[in-house]
Amino acid sequence: MAKSSTKDDFTLTDNSTGKSYTLPALTGSMGNRLVDISKLYPQTGILTYDPGFSSTAACKSDITYIDGNKGVLMHRGYPIDQLAKHSDYIEVCYLLLYGQLPTPEQKEQFDTDIKHHTLLHEQLIRFYSGFMRSAHPMAVMVGVVGALSAFYHDKMDITDPNEQRVAAHRIIAKMPTIGAYAYKYSLGMPFPMPRNKYTYAENLLHLMFSNPAEDYDINPVLAKAINLLLILHADHEQNASTSTVRLAGSSGANPYACVASGIASLWGPAHGGANEAVLKMLGQIGTSRNIPKFIKKAQDPDDSFRLMGFGHRVYKSYDPRATVLRESCHEVLNVLGINDPQLELAMELEQIALKDAYFIEKKLYPNVDFYSGIIMSALGFPTSMFTVMFAIGRSVGWISHWKEMLMDDHHRIGRPRQLYLGETERKFNPMDKRGHTEKKTSWSWLWGGGR
Ligand code: ACO
């Protein structure tokens, strides 16, 4: 608690005791005012309650800024639309990781460093054969990326900046190889070697779609679209997967294991899994005639159906990534000569939802996942690989946040508290004394029916 308060500070009054506490204010370089509650518990014994962390900043960060009301997203001060227009993914990786846009020499060096880490250890490649061919590629990603920790653990001193750098470069470099091999494995096809003559996006296309029996020509339209997708997914401040990586890393865990935990979190349909869910939903809707029925379903409080690709915890206006992708979606489909009825359906759905009172009132706008699935489908990616593509792009964000956290001298192990609603202390009843006095266990709870 601040010793002397200023007019910017906050006062918390405990009505039950009449005591008041001064809580210091914090201001960042941009954005909301914050109240510092870090000393609240040690000094007052009071905890705060904030499920889903809607009102809690868990760290300080210099990497990404979002203004959800205005639809602003900036990395290190550069607006996302400028990066999408003028940059390439490797440059954005450098920016996120090191804080500045690279000079030509720095970019070349960084590009070379990344290219020198794209191969997988032969032992790691054997991990794939332990999976069912039908396994979801995100399950394979969690396993194989986590397994990197078994290859690079003994030598790893996470406090050494040089080792942090090498770990970051390895993650950025190996993610396309690991992701593409998950796809090739599902098809029973041989694993192609990464090619250093290609850019990051071109290499990803080559790893995914080349066939050793034939020459593979990189289509520049596809490479441009991949580059854009990767840039748009590179970072998004303290989202669920990034916060998971930070929380896992806060205990000093191995960085590859931390990134695997981020992949697990990303997989959920409320987060990165939404791109896959959007396409499934469009398939379910089928034709524009059915749109009103699904819009109604999404508003029914007794129906768990949600309009996938709509809504965001932070954006209460258009997701700026969706704005960029929306344009690119049309361009890519035009250039490729694809007349995609699902895109038409998506556009109609978007227009109807944007005019609907429920969606207006709750400020539910299309998010990046609404368009990314359509574009990836046009590029030839199977639905199950959509979230893998997201994970490949986001890996630089995860590792940049991990590195930033470790470099912060004040970082502590993440350890949220809880509001306890369980039994108060009770006496242990031996088995032969238990009977009608014990509460019955609810079978519906045991079998997942909720509580
Ligand atoms: N369809 C219908 N209703 C919705 C939707 C939706 N897509 N999203 C939110 N709502 C409603 C909720 O039911 C809730 O209504 P209520 O106030 O009557 O209870 C209200 O809007 C607020 O929603 P919350 O779930 O409280 O918002 P939260 O910030 O927790 O969730 C989330 C955000 C998870 C993204 C949510 O909007 C959602 O599930 N969207 C669909 C999945 C999706 O597209 N996820 C991708 C997110 S972007 C990303 O990860 C890259």
Side-chain angles (χ1 to χ4, degrees), residues 28-44:
S29 50
M30 284 191 283
N32 301 69
R33 289 173 70 218
L34 285 89
V35 49
D36 181 354
I37 55 164
S38 57
K39 301 283 184 303
L40 183 67
Y41 175 67
Q43 294 187 1
T44 68

Side-chain angles (χ1 to χ4, degrees), residues 390-448:
F390 191 154
I392 293 171
R394 182 55 56 84
S395 57
V396 66
W398 291 330
I399 207 74
S400 300
H401 281 271
W402 172 81
K403 176 171 155 278
E404 181 180 67
M405 178 185 67
L406 291 180
M407 289 176 81
D408 178 354
D409 292 339
H410 298 294
H411 94 266
R412 304 169 72 199
I413 186 167
R415 188 9 178 132
R417 303 298 292 261
Q418 64 171 7
L419 170 64
Y420 177 69
L421 295 175
E423 301 283 354
T424 53
E425 186 173 337
R426 51 184 171 161
K427 215 168 152 228
F428 182 83
N429 233 356
M431 185 70 85
D432 60 348
K433 300 258 169 26
R434 285 175 221 164
H436 58 273
T437 54
E438 292 295 321
K439 267 193 201 160
K440 287 256 174 10
T441 304
S442 153
W443 289 107
S444 68
W445 175 73
L446 272 185
W447 297 117

Side-chain angles (χ1 to χ4, degrees), residues 181-200:
Y181 286 5
Y183 175 53
K184 291 293 189 195
Y185 181 73
S186 74
L187 299 176
M189 282 184 68
F191 294 168
M193 285 295 130
R195 303 292 291 269
N196 286 354
K197 67 175 182 176
Y198 290 140
T199 65
Y200 193 90

Side-chain angles (χ1 to χ4, degrees), residues 269-272 274 298 306-313 358 362 364 367-369 390:
H271 191 9
R306 282 187 168 197
L307 216 53
M308 300 315 286
F310 267 78
H312 197 275
R313 168 59 61 80
Y358 173 92
K362 295 195 185 295
L364 300 171
N367 57 51
V368 68
D369 289 322
F390 191 154

Side-chain angles (χ1 to χ4, degrees), residues 38 59 84 100 102 157 162 168 220 228 261 267 283 350 374 393 428 437 442:
S38 57
C59 63
Q100 303 295 338
D157 171 7
N162 191 43
L228 181 69
S261 74
W267 191 5
E350 182 200 37
I374 295 167
F428 182 83
T437 54
S442 153

Side-chain angles (χ1 to χ4, degrees), residues 65-78:
Y65 174 76
I66 299 176
D67 182 333
N69 292 322
K70 294 191 186 137
V72 170
L73 166 62
M74 292 193 247
H75 296 316
R76 307 283 193 185
Y78 296 102

Side-chain angles (χ1 to χ4, degrees), residues 210-216:
S210 70
N211 168 350
E214 287 167 12
D215 290 334
Y216 180 71

